[in-house]
Amino acid sequence: MNVSEPVPSVEAQLRAAPPHALVATAGRLLAQRFGARDVTLLLADYGLSVLQPVTDLPHTGEPVSAHDGPAGTAFTAQKPVLEVTAEPATELVHLPITVRGDRLGVLCVRVPDSSTDPGTVLRLGEFATALGHELTTAGRDTDLYLLARRTRRLTLAAEMQWQLLPGTGCMRDEYVIGAHLEPAYAIGGDNFDWSTSADHLTLTVTDGMGQGIDASLLTNLAVGALRNARRAGVSLADQACLADQALYSQYRGKSYASTLLLRFDLATGRVRAVDAGSPQLYRLRGNRIERVELEAQLPLGMFEETLYQEQTFQVETGDRLVAVSTGAHGTRSATGEVFGESVLRQILSATRGTPPHETARSVVAGLLEHVGHQDLLADAAVVCVDWNGRPGRTP
């Protein structure tokens, strides 16, 4: 008796595809399983302004808005969007592609209109998620998807910074993170980083002084030193001390990095903090916005063997924390007016009900409007954290 070979799962077939052939493989699988006729993968550009189609190099497809239209709505709202088009008996399904809270783009699939029942749309969404995980892995072996994200060339400093970042978002039951950097194609010294374990979340926002490649090299050393210390299992204050020593050893105080270090206890909401410089932190609780006042300590690398002290504060279920670098809260307009706390508070209040990704982007958009031109002269980093608390724990 012959036993037929089991049919490989979607995940297995996507994993088996060559890194550059994920879109073609996805199209074939979607045609087989859902009768799909057209499949387009759109990836968000570095500035999160447009979604760009992944095509053979050189990329020739036309981008679409990351905020408007069916695809943009799917990306922003993180929900499938069904579009009725002129082609009879079909519908175009736009599916957000997100990996552990990091928004990558949108998968657009044209299927028979008889195949757009909720169950099918749910399975299509699961397919998009599986594709997203493979895109993340494939990006280590091909430049295809990184190139598809660019509307123009990155500076060398920006290339280094984007390779250093963990992503632009992260999500667990206890929290949701959304972050944004600008100028996206010329960022130099600003950075954010995070790492999660079973019981803790460590989050840092770093602003390396200077511009361009010098700032990028400084920040790369600072983030590398912080990661090395974190992975050694030392306390938050000792992480700051070790990174401080690494920077001072290299630059002898001529260059330094302002850094905010936070370590969340996922079970209790207790936060340990070290404010080593200028990034500012705001907490939104209900309709109230308050600055989290931390003791300002010296930036990393300014002096030899600086000792750092931890402080603690508490977050409660429903709280939102927003960290902003100097380039976000201290930038001046052409007339000399500082962006400042009042404008920042207005934006945070207006975006209270939006997801963290959109809040972070809105702060940067407000900053660009304030300075009155498309590119910032100083780097700006914004990180927004929605705190849900551990499931089952009463506040």
Side-chain angles (χ1 to χ4, degrees):
M1 180 179 177
N2 292 328
V3 179
S4 60
E5 293 289 332
V7 177
S9 65
V10 164
E11 291 82 357
Q13 293 184 69
L14 288 173
R15 281 197 300 271
H20 65 277
L22 280 174
V23 178
T25 302
R28 175 176 58 79
L29 292 172
L30 288 166
Q32 292 173 352
R33 294 170 180 257
F34 299 95
R37 291 160 56 179
D38 296 320
V39 175
T40 303
L41 173 62
L42 302 172
L43 295 181
D45 87 299
Y46 287 99
L48 296 182
S49 59
V50 296
L51 300 168
Q52 301 217 120
V54 177
T55 59
D56 293 334
L57 295 174
H59 296 290
T60 57
E62 288 295 322
V64 299
S65 171
H67 314 293
D68 301 314
T73 300
F75 181 72
T76 301
Q78 289 292 286
K79 295 180 180 178
V81 173
L82 272 62
E83 179 186 2
V84 178
T85 65
E87 186 170 331
T90 67
E91 286 186 289
L92 198 54
V93 186
H94 303 274
L95 304 148
I97 298 180
T98 303
V99 177
R100 299 186 184 277
D102 191 14
R103 304 183 303 173
L104 303 182
V106 174
L107 182 66
C108 305
V109 184
R110 185 180 297 280
V111 295
D113 55 11
S114 58
S115 299
T116 54
D117 59 277
T120 301
V121 173
L122 178 62
R123 291 194 298 274
L124 285 168
E126 293 171 347
F127 184 99
T129 298
L131 177 60
H133 281 273
E134 293 308 314
L135 285 169
T136 303
T137 303
R140 300 183 304 191
D141 300 315
T142 178
D143 288 337
L144 177 68
Y145 308 110
L146 291 174
L147 290 172
R149 295 181 59 194
R150 302 168 192 222
T151 60
R152 58 188 186 274
R153 184 176 177 177
L154 291 174
T155 65
L156 175 56
E159 189 84 55
M160 294 169 63
Q161 284 294 74
W162 282 105
Q163 291 296 315
L164 188 65
L165 292 169
T168 57
C170 181
M171 181 172 63
R172 274 184 55 173
D173 290 338
E174 295 89 349
Y175 60 81
V176 180
I177 301 174
H180 195 59
L181 281 177
E182 226 22 273
Y185 289 82
I187 195 76
D190 279 17
N191 177 275
F192 44 79
D193 193 30
W194 51 73
S195 178
T196 186
S197 66
D199 297 311
H200 296 94
L201 165 69
T202 302
L203 171 68
T204 61
V205 180
T206 299
D207 180 358
M209 69 174 289
Q211 294 181 323
I213 193 69
D214 290 336
S216 182
L217 287 168
L218 170 65
T219 300
N220 267 260
L221 178 58
V223 174
L226 287 168
R227 287 175 174 172
N228 180 256
R230 184 185 72 220
R231 292 163 185 168
V234 300
S235 69
L236 201 68
D238 285 343
Q239 291 174 35
C241 289
L242 289 171
D244 171 74
Q245 292 172 25
L247 265 63
Y248 187 83
S249 176
Q250 181 68 28
Y251 292 99
R252 313 306 295 179
K254 295 179 181 178
S255 296
Y256 46 85
S258 298
T259 304
L260 175 66
L261 299 89
L262 303 173
R263 189 170 190 261
F264 296 77
D265 186 308
L266 299 181
T268 66
R270 188 165 181 256
V271 185
R272 295 182 180 273
V274 174
D275 180 359
S278 58
Q280 295 183 356
L281 184 64
Y282 292 85
R283 176 170 51 204
L284 288 76
R285 180 170 291 168
N287 295 321
R288 190 171 74 253
I289 303 174
E290 59 185 353
R291 173 93 178 271
V292 179
E293 298 292 346
L294 299 170
E295 179 186 350
Q297 301 176 68
L298 293 172
L300 303 179
M302 180 175 279
F303 296 106
E304 188 173 13
E305 295 185 354
T306 302
L307 296 178
Y308 292 92
Q309 301 294 324
E310 295 180 10
Q311 296 175 265
T312 61
F313 64 92
Q314 190 73 29
V315 287
E316 299 176 359
T317 299
D319 280 358
R320 167 170 285 184
L321 295 178
V322 180
V324 293
S325 68
T326 310
H329 66 74
T331 295
R332 295 180 180 272
S333 67
T335 59
E337 183 182 358
V338 177
F339 182 62
E341 188 167 320
S342 61
V343 179
L344 182 58
R345 284 175 176 268
Q346 291 175 18
I347 296 173
L348 295 181
S349 178
T351 59
R352 183 65 172 99
T354 65
H357 287 95
E358 289 303 304
T359 293
R361 188 188 65 82
S362 294
V363 171
V364 174
L367 180 60
L368 289 168
E369 183 178 349
H370 177 76
V371 300
H373 48 77
Q374 200 167 19
D375 289 319
L376 298 176
L377 298 179
D379 298 344
V382 181
V383 180
C384 180
V385 182
D386 275 358
W387 184 258
N388 302 320
R390 178 148 287 179
R393 179 181 178 271
T394 56

